[in-house]
Amino acid sequence: MINFPTVLDDLMMAQQPILKRNKEIFGYELLFRGMDAQKAQFSDGELATSQVLVNLCIGITKIESQLRKPFFVNMTTELMLSDAFFPIDHDTVYIEILESQRLTPEFYQAVEKWRAAGYRFALDDYQFEAAYEALLPWVSIVKIDVLTTPPEKYMTEIASLKRRGMVLLAEKVENEAMFELCKKLGFDLFQGYFLQRPELIKGKKIDSATHGAIELVNALQNKDISIDEISHLVAKNPKLSYQLLRILNSPVCGITKKVVSIKEAVIFLGLVKLKRWALLITLTSSTSQPNALLKVLLTRARCCQLLAEKNQASLSESAFMVGLMSGIDAVFNVEKQVILEQTALENDALAAILHQSGDLGHYLTLTLSCEDQQWQNIETLNKTQLSELNRAFLDAMLWSEEVMQSIY
């Protein structure tokens, strides 16, 4: 028996609010946190940024409502030059460019490309160096560390930025006097200990499905691959299936679609965005699936699908989804209600999983009864129905064994 935690207590990240002149919330900067809860300690900036984004969109936290505000996240050169971090909807994010960034023609091209695609950039820790002037046409917000770059010494430069239409953000605002000075000089946004210290965000980290993500990335390199082939690859992997549903339901991705099948999720998300998420997931992959549990869930999903195909073919894809997601609590060691409310599953599918109600719930009940050998639950079936159930379960077991051999 698995004891599921009722408290989401993994350290996910930290966030620090960015305030307007009237101290209302404008957005949040997301900060990496590893073993040390009080400060960011990491040796690989790309991995740290990727982990923040994966925790944000795939992990389970209690900050969903706050994500309706823009968030700011640092971005490394490697991620800027790749597609990996751009599954995030451009309306929800400001990409922070550090002033220590090595400026190359390739980097300028990447900034110009993503700005044209609608992404917004903030130039972090700006110190009025001429080398960074060329970035300003693509920058929406200029952040100035008022501790290391005292604003009273750069009043002319600050005024020049304002005339160019730049939004100015004062960071490291440590006291009221600095807050008032920055307001007087025309700063629009403010961040610092005087206003609010970073707040730790806890939740449940979702370990990435290494094998499935890599297999998906490899498959997506084929430009001629079909939606059906991609749907099959995703459906083989419960963690990857959950992550896909979680992405669809995450407000930072700008999608508000309820889905009834893996195929519909793949179609709606799109192969390009799916590829980006698979790349990002792969960056943070750390653990393998539990083989025995994976086989059980695949058998369950396939049996539900076969039963639906026999009786209501239109529900077959949804039945597979219900079977696969019905044991997702055991995969992640989190209570089922908690984890499922974070997904983009439609209400009928949720009701089937949580309460075994409706036609989809009926197929799940039959499958679970066969799986657990609870014969009293299926004693009302006639001989034909019982034969169909036994055949479906046997075929599902054979199918799941083939899938397992293809994965490992």
Side-chain angles (χ1 to χ4, degrees):
M1 178 70 69
I2 297 175
N3 293 317
F4 297 118
T6 56
V7 178
L8 304 178
D9 205 35
D10 289 345
L11 179 58
M12 307 290 280
M13 65 191 86
Q15 66 175 15
Q16 187 172 29
I18 294 169
L19 306 183
K20 302 176 185 177
R21 295 171 65 88
N22 60 4
K23 295 187 179 180
E24 290 183 357
I25 298 291
F26 173 78
Y28 296 87
E29 181 173 2
L30 301 183
L31 308 168
F32 174 80
R33 290 294 185 268
M35 298 298 292
D36 191 334
Q38 300 306 314
K39 56 185 177 180
Q41 291 187 335
F42 54 88
S43 58
D44 188 330
E46 181 180 359
L47 181 60
T49 293
S50 299
Q51 189 62 62
V52 166
L53 293 176
V54 168
N55 286 349
L56 176 68
C57 291
I58 300 178
I60 303 171
T61 70
K62 297 298 184 183
I63 63 171
E64 293 293 325
S65 61
Q66 296 176 13
L67 297 181
R68 306 299 174 181
K69 302 286 187 181
F71 64 90
F72 292 64
V73 62
N74 291 330
M75 206 54 61
T76 65
T77 300
E78 291 80 5
L79 285 174
M80 277 292 298
L81 298 180
S82 76
D83 287 349
F85 77 96
F86 284 104
I88 304 297
D89 184 71
H90 57 74
D91 289 333
T92 66
V93 63
Y94 283 92
I95 306 302
E96 291 199 17
I97 303 173
L98 303 179
E99 204 186 53
S100 59
Q101 171 67 49
R102 182 168 170 264
L103 301 178
T104 64
E106 293 77 15
F107 185 80
Y108 282 119
Q109 290 172 8
V111 172
E112 185 176 5
K113 169 187 174 182
W114 293 118
R115 187 67 186 88
Y119 289 91
R120 299 168 295 184
F121 290 90
L123 185 55
D124 191 31
D125 196 19
Y126 185 56
Q127 297 176 11
F128 305 101
E129 293 186 7
Y132 293 88
E133 278 287 316
L135 278 177
L136 293 180
W138 294 293
V139 168
S140 302
I141 296 176
V142 174
K143 299 182 70 174
I144 298 173
D145 182 335
V146 295
L147 286 183
T148 59
T149 310
E152 64 272 17
K153 294 184 179 180
Y154 296 92
M155 296 173 63
T156 300
E157 292 84 352
I158 289 171
S160 176
L161 289 175
K162 291 293 293 182
R163 286 195 298 271
R164 296 175 65 172
M166 295 291 174
V167 174
L168 300 185
L169 191 161
E171 57 180 339
K172 302 287 181 65
V173 177
E174 304 292 279
N175 53 56
E176 186 173 5
M178 180 59 74
F179 178 61
E180 294 300 329
L181 173 61
C182 290
K183 284 203 299 183
K184 183 178 179 180
L185 293 177
F187 281 81
D188 308 280
L189 302 171
F190 308 85
Q191 179 181 4
Y193 284 0
F194 168 68
L195 302 163
Q196 189 171 325
R197 291 175 177 269
E199 173 190 4
L200 296 180
I201 301 300
K202 292 191 174 184
K204 178 64 179 179
K205 292 181 179 179
I206 302 300
D207 293 325
S208 302
T210 309
H211 296 289
I214 292 174
E215 185 179 15
L216 183 60
V217 170
N218 291 337
L220 286 166
Q221 306 309 310
N222 178 4
K223 295 181 179 179
D224 298 323
I225 196 165
S226 68
I227 291 289
D228 286 333
E229 290 174 290
I230 291 299
S231 301
H232 174 69
L233 285 177
V234 174
K236 287 196 306 184
N237 194 311
K239 278 192 177 180
L240 205 56
S241 299
Y242 173 78
Q243 289 166 333
L244 178 58
L245 292 171
R246 182 70 185 90
I247 290 164
L248 279 176
N249 199 48
S250 174
V252 301
C253 297
I255 297 173
T256 56
K257 170 69 175 177
K258 298 297 182 181
V259 299
V260 298
S261 69
I262 292 293
K263 182 175 180 178
E264 187 176 354
V266 170
I267 291 172
F268 193 80
L269 190 61
L271 294 185
V272 173
K273 190 165 284 191
L274 180 61
K275 178 181 177 180
R276 295 169 184 171
W277 269 110
L279 287 168
L280 186 57
I281 289 167
T282 304
L283 282 174
T284 57
S285 296
S286 59
T287 61
S288 298
Q289 305 250 11
N291 293 13
L293 176 59
L294 173 57
K295 187 175 180 181
V296 168
L297 294 184
L298 289 173
T299 300
R300 192 182 298 175
R302 180 61 173 163
C303 186
C304 288
Q305 184 181 38
L306 290 173
L307 291 173
E309 285 179 354
K310 196 72 175 178
N311 297 277
Q312 295 169 285
S314 62
L315 292 181
S316 62
E317 294 295 329
S318 299
F320 185 94
M321 176 86 80
V322 166
L324 194 68
M325 294 292 109
S326 64
I328 204 67
D329 50 339
V331 175
F332 294 122
N333 195 27
V334 176
E335 292 170 350
K336 190 174 294 185
Q337 180 73 45
V338 173
I339 199 166
L340 287 176
E341 70 183 12
Q342 303 286 324
T343 71
L345 281 173
E346 65 167 2
N347 291 335
D348 287 347
L350 286 174
I353 295 170
L354 295 173
H355 310 296
Q356 295 180 28
S357 61
D359 292 333
L360 293 172
H362 175 63
Y363 299 135
L364 179 60
T365 298
L366 293 178
T367 300
L368 292 175
S369 298
C370 201
E371 178 184 304
D372 298 332
Q373 300 183 29
Q374 298 292 327
W375 311 124
Q376 70 275 13
N377 294 336
I378 55 178
E379 60 186 8
T380 58
L381 298 180
N382 59 41
K383 288 184 179 181
T384 300
Q385 292 170 329
L386 187 58
S387 176
E388 289 178 355
L389 173 58
N390 289 333
R391 185 65 194 177
F393 194 79
L394 176 59
D395 286 347
M397 290 180 65
L398 294 173
W399 178 84
S400 66
E401 181 62 34
E402 292 178 0
V403 171
M404 293 295 293
Q405 290 178 4
S406 72
I407 295 177
Y408 296 101

